[in-house]
Amino acid sequence: MSEPEQMFPPASDGSAAGAGAIAIPAEPATAEETAVRHGLRHLNAARGMRQHLRAVRMVLNALLLLALLYTITLTKALLIPLVLAAFIGLALNPIVAFGTRFRLPRWLTASVLMLGLIVGIGSGVGLLAQPAIGWFHGAPTAIKSFVPKLRSFTKPLEAANRATQTLVSSGTSTRAAVPQSAPVSISAWDVVSTAPKVLAAVLSVMLLVFFFLIYGDSMLRRLVQITPGFAYKRHAVTIVRGIQTEVSRYLLTALLINAGLGAITAGMLWLYKVPDPLLWGAVAMFANFIPYVGAIVTTTVLAVVCMLYANDASLEVFLPVLTFAGITAVEGNLITPMIQGASMRLSPIAILLWLLVWGWLWGIPGALLAVPMLTCTKLITERVRGWEWFAHIVQR
């Protein structure tokens, strides 16, 4: 019998196993694997959405910051007296609190303080107004009288200048007229037109300080009362009291240090027989509220004043300036850090950036209030949860 026919052709050796293999379908995914895949897909989608929301939040925060800066600039006529009154009230609040320990009413202690403050400011303005106006009127004359004193120092420079002009302008005999600058003067109309605005600003600051001293604690107490929960109330009381104590101590200490610097500067200038020592002592006192910049400005002003009122041009003219530079160096590097402590010290970069921002927004009042505002902000952010990073950045 013949062999039966093969149903399939013979396969090669290399594909025999493949031809005889049977395709096995893939096992279906289990419910756990499907859930994991769906979970990863949802996690990736949520992560992308979170990144998108973070970018949107950054843009919104930048727009909010720009709107806030514009609002601060637009309302500076209202905010500057308010901030100044708040600082004065915080500085004087420990005195009023000390009076309450002897059962003195807050309104009585505040009234006595405000009366003394008004008398002191009035006396200071009366003492300094006449020298300041006289200096403005006499500055052009003093400059003209000081120019001949510099001839001994400027003779070589003048000879070189004449030689250069001879080489450059040889053949021309005409000389351009030098424009004369008008002398600085303050008329009676300027004083009359400015007086109502100044009086209104001073009166508003005084009233705000008076009411802050009387009703400041009751306002803080009511703010704490609306805080929900006893634990939150206790935490809020601790934060508010700590902030109030630290800010008051800093402002009062800074005021006393700057007043002492002004008094020492005035006495030093009086010993050197510099005209109007009280005026320049007051300038040194108020300028010292601006670290670094205030000392540089006061030193420059004193150098100009000493040169204008000197009898002759010599190196002895700059002795008051060098003495003041030594006084400010001792005050800034030894006395102030020793009294205020390391917790009040700020980074020089943060101070300069803060001065630039507030000087740009509010001008000279912003520059004077910038460092107290930065210090108070640092003290507040140290105790507010989530804002410790700001205090860590601005401290030295």
Side-chain angles (χ1 to χ4, degrees):
M1 250 182 104
S2 62
E3 294 180 359
E5 297 180 1
Q6 293 180 358
M7 298 296 296
F8 301 100
S12 60
D13 294 337
S15 62
I22 300 175
I24 300 175
E27 295 182 359
T30 61
E32 295 180 357
E33 293 178 351
T34 305
V36 169
R37 292 176 183 174
H38 283 291
L40 291 175
R41 192 178 297 113
H42 285 296
L43 182 61
N44 292 330
R47 188 176 300 168
M49 182 63 68
R50 193 179 299 113
Q51 293 177 355
H52 180 70
L53 291 177
R54 189 181 295 115
V56 173
R57 187 187 304 168
M58 291 177 62
V59 173
L60 292 178
N61 288 335
L63 293 176
L64 179 62
L65 179 61
L66 293 176
L68 182 62
L69 293 177
Y70 178 76
T71 304
I72 289 174
T73 307
L74 189 64
T75 58
K76 65 179 181 179
L78 174 65
L79 292 179
I80 290 175
L82 185 62
V83 173
L84 181 60
F87 281 156
I88 297 175
L90 284 172
L92 297 179
N93 185 68
I95 302 176
V96 178
F98 182 76
T100 56
R101 298 178 184 176
F102 296 94
R103 301 184 181 277
L104 293 176
R106 293 187 66 91
W107 65 267
L108 180 60
T109 310
S111 301
V112 173
L113 277 177
M114 293 307 301
L115 183 61
L117 192 62
I118 292 172
V119 171
I121 292 176
S123 302
V125 171
L127 288 174
L128 301 178
Q130 188 64 32
I133 296 175
W135 188 85
F136 276 109
H137 283 289
T141 305
I143 292 173
K144 292 179 181 179
S145 63
F146 183 74
V147 170
K149 303 173 187 176
L150 295 175
R151 291 298 174 85
S152 59
F153 293 99
T154 59
K155 280 182 180 181
L157 297 177
E158 289 178 357
N161 190 18
R162 282 196 298 268
T164 305
Q165 289 181 355
T166 303
L167 292 175
V168 173
S169 60
S170 59
T172 60
S173 59
T174 59
R175 179 177 296 179
V178 179
Q180 299 292 331
S181 59
V184 180
S185 62
I186 300 176
S187 62
W189 173 250
D190 294 334
V191 177
V192 172
S193 61
T194 310
K197 297 179 182 179
V198 175
L199 290 177
V202 171
L203 181 61
S204 61
V205 170
M206 291 297 177
L207 288 176
L208 286 172
V209 171
F210 182 71
F211 288 118
F212 279 156
L213 291 176
I214 296 178
Y215 302 108
D217 280 355
S218 61
M219 290 177 61
L220 293 177
R221 195 178 303 113
R222 291 174 184 175
L223 288 176
V224 172
Q225 288 177 356
I226 64 177
T227 305
F230 178 74
Y232 288 101
K233 289 180 184 294
R234 184 174 59 184
H235 186 62
V237 168
T238 304
I239 291 176
V240 168
R241 292 301 181 190
I243 291 172
Q244 187 179 18
T245 302
E246 293 294 333
V247 171
S248 301
R249 184 173 68 87
Y250 163 74
L251 292 174
L252 192 59
T253 303
L255 182 62
L256 293 176
I257 291 174
N258 295 338
L261 177 66
I264 293 173
T265 303
M268 179 266 298
L269 295 176
W270 178 76
L271 291 176
Y272 280 115
K273 298 181 180 180
V274 177
D276 303 324
L278 292 178
L279 175 62
W280 311 122
V283 171
M285 171 185 170
F286 288 107
N288 201 50
F289 282 100
I290 310 176
Y292 309 114
V293 179
I296 294 173
V297 171
T298 308
T299 304
T300 306
V301 170
L302 288 179
V304 173
V305 170
C306 292
M307 286 190 298
L308 290 181
Y309 290 99
N311 294 325
D312 54 355
S314 61
L315 295 178
E316 295 180 358
V317 173
F318 299 100
L319 284 179
V321 181
L322 296 176
T323 305
F324 175 77
I327 292 172
T328 53
V330 173
E331 178 269 330
N333 297 303
L334 182 62
I335 296 177
T336 299
M338 183 177 61
I339 295 177
Q340 291 185 346
S343 61
M344 297 291 181
R345 304 191 70 181
L346 301 173
S347 171
I349 298 177
I351 290 174
L352 292 178
L353 291 177
W354 203 259
L355 286 174
L356 288 175
V357 171
W358 288 102
W360 171 59
L361 293 175
W362 286 356
I364 296 178
L368 290 174
L369 295 173
V371 176
M373 285 192 293
L374 179 60
T375 306
C376 295
T377 306
K378 175 182 175 293
L379 293 174
I380 292 172
T381 52
E382 283 178 346
R383 290 169 172 80
V384 178
R385 189 176 303 170
W387 284 90
E388 297 88 353
W389 58 270
F390 183 84
H392 182 71
I393 288 176
V394 300
Q395 72 181 1
R396 181 180 293 186

